[in-house]
Amino acid sequence: MSENNVVNAAPVRPVPRQSVYVDTKPFWDGIAEGKLVLQYCTEAERFQHYPRPVSLYTGRRTLEWREVSGQGFIYACTVVRIPGPGVEGRIPLCVATVELDEGVRMIANVLNCSPSDIAVGKRVKLAVDQLAPGHAYPAFELA
């Protein structure tokens, strides 16, 4: 095919891969259902994120998956204004470190939000971002 006949395909957004070291299936299954499910150390009685093979607090395998509220506040935030892979058509993109009510922090996009609306301390709730068909990803929106 010559250069003149090349068809420009729509940009593909990168999708996450499941870890080969930690079973993250409960996390991804939860997001697909619109729920946020995190690891919980039954000994320390605390949540942790990102998923790990052992508890951050005890170093033991005393972990189980539990649903959390999906609510929290913006701990830190920024606005992506420079185009890059996977953000085509989404600029400006609001991104935040969210501290969940359960005490863990996650970095995620804040959907349906203008750059002037995003601010430290604002309350947020779980939203689901569809990266591609069948690939739900955790995000937040202003509460």
Side-chain angles (χ1 to χ4, degrees), residues 22 39-48 50-65:
V22 179
Q39 284 182 321
Y40 180 81
C41 176
T42 58
E43 193 170 303
E45 298 180 343
R46 294 176 69 181
F47 286 94
Q48 68 182 29
Y50 57 89
R52 295 166 174 88
V54 297
S55 168
L56 274 173
Y57 312 106
T58 66
R60 297 187 177 135
R61 295 183 183 271
T62 54
L63 298 171
E64 62 186 33
W65 292 91

Side-chain angles (χ1 to χ4, degrees), residues 9 21 24 31-33 36 39 45 54-55 61-62 66 75 77 93 101 105 109 115 125 135 137-138 140-141:
Y21 304 106
T24 58
I31 292 300
E33 296 174 11
L36 187 55
Q39 284 182 321
E45 298 180 343
V54 297
S55 168
R61 295 183 183 271
T62 54
R66 291 189 182 179
Y75 178 83
C77 57
L93 179 63
D101 291 345
R105 294 182 186 152
N109 295 337
K125 62 183 179 180
H135 290 282
Y137 199 81
F140 291 89
E141 59 188 8

Side-chain angles (χ1 to χ4, degrees), residues 17 27 32-33 47 84-85 110-115:
R17 288 180 278 179
F27 176 82
E33 296 174 11
F47 286 94
V110 181
L111 305 177
N112 307 315
C113 177
S114 71

Side-chain angles (χ1 to χ4, degrees), residues 72-76 96-100 104-108 110 124 140:
F73 68 92
I74 295 175
Y75 178 83
T97 300
V98 172
E99 184 163 319
L100 297 171
V104 298
R105 294 182 186 152
M106 298 179 69
I107 297 174
V110 181
V124 292
F140 291 89

Side-chain angles (χ1 to χ4, degrees), residues 79-108:
V79 177
V80 177
R81 297 180 189 276
I82 299 172
V87 296
E88 295 87 352
R90 296 171 57 105
I91 300 295
L93 179 63
C94 298
V95 180
T97 300
V98 172
E99 184 163 319
L100 297 171
D101 291 345
E102 291 80 8
V104 298
R105 294 182 186 152
M106 298 179 69
I107 297 174

